[in-house]
Amino acid sequence: MTSGSPAYDPQNIFAKILRGELPSHKVYEDEKCIIFMDIMPRSDGHALIVPKAASRNILDAAPDDLAHLIVVAQKLARAGKAAFKADGVSLSQFSETAGGQIVFHTHIHVLPRHDGVDLRPAGIRADDVLLAEHAKILRAAIAEL
């Protein structure tokens, strides 16, 4: 943890998902991270990569965990671009409130993007049936890589 940063809260929503206390639409998992669908997607296929190690954000995450996340982000970006026939992909990582962070467990957003299509407004909960379908599409695309 960097000097002056708040302590990691093990009761954050992503920590609860990692412990299996809350449900998620899981796409991928390995020894260091998990990918699941964002429940408030800004685009079709919007997924989150979350390290299993406890850290608030990029400011206190271990370098090895960050290195692994970016490798997995590339895999997810390729899969999402192909699966959702996207023209491009946006990756986002927010650190601390002033940086736009809402959930204080390190994570990277991966959003398939289409030319001329704006992101959906933030904060709108998606239907679970749709999220489950998008997770299935992404799992299949990752398996093909």
Side-chain angles (χ1 to χ4, degrees):
M1 179 167 48
T2 58
S3 177
S5 294
Y8 176 80
D9 177 7
Q11 295 306 311
N12 73 73
I13 192 168
F14 293 168
K16 290 179 179 183
I17 289 170
L18 287 167
R19 290 191 302 265
E21 296 170 7
L22 291 175
S24 69
H25 295 281
K26 187 165 52 169
V27 173
Y28 170 90
E29 184 172 7
D30 64 25
E31 70 285 348
K32 295 189 110 185
C33 72
I34 186 173
I35 298 172
F36 51 86
M37 303 309 297
D38 192 309
I39 63 169
M40 294 184 237
R42 309 275 324 265
S43 71
D44 287 349
H46 180 174
L48 304 172
I49 306 167
V50 178
K52 291 181 177 180
S55 62
R56 280 177 58 85
N57 52 49
I58 199 169
L59 301 172
D60 68 338
D64 287 348
D65 291 330
L66 293 174
H68 184 74
L69 289 183
I70 201 64
V71 170
V72 174
Q74 182 185 48
K75 179 186 288 190
L76 178 59
R78 288 176 174 161
K81 184 176 182 294
F84 292 92
K85 298 174 180 45
D87 300 307
V89 181
S90 292
L91 271 68
S92 300
Q93 193 289 316
F94 306 101
S95 292
E96 298 301 338
T97 303
Q101 188 175 13
I102 297 169
V103 177
F104 293 92
H105 184 108
T106 303
H107 59 287
I108 298 174
H109 296 258
V110 179
L111 301 92
R113 302 291 304 274
H114 294 88
D115 288 332
V117 178
D118 290 337
L119 292 175
R120 291 184 199 114
I124 299 173
R125 177 83 159 83
D127 178 77
D128 278 323
V129 172
L130 179 67
L131 292 174
E133 180 62 26
H134 286 180
K136 180 180 175 183
I137 291 167
L138 278 175
R139 280 193 299 275
I142 289 171
E144 290 182 14
L145 294 179

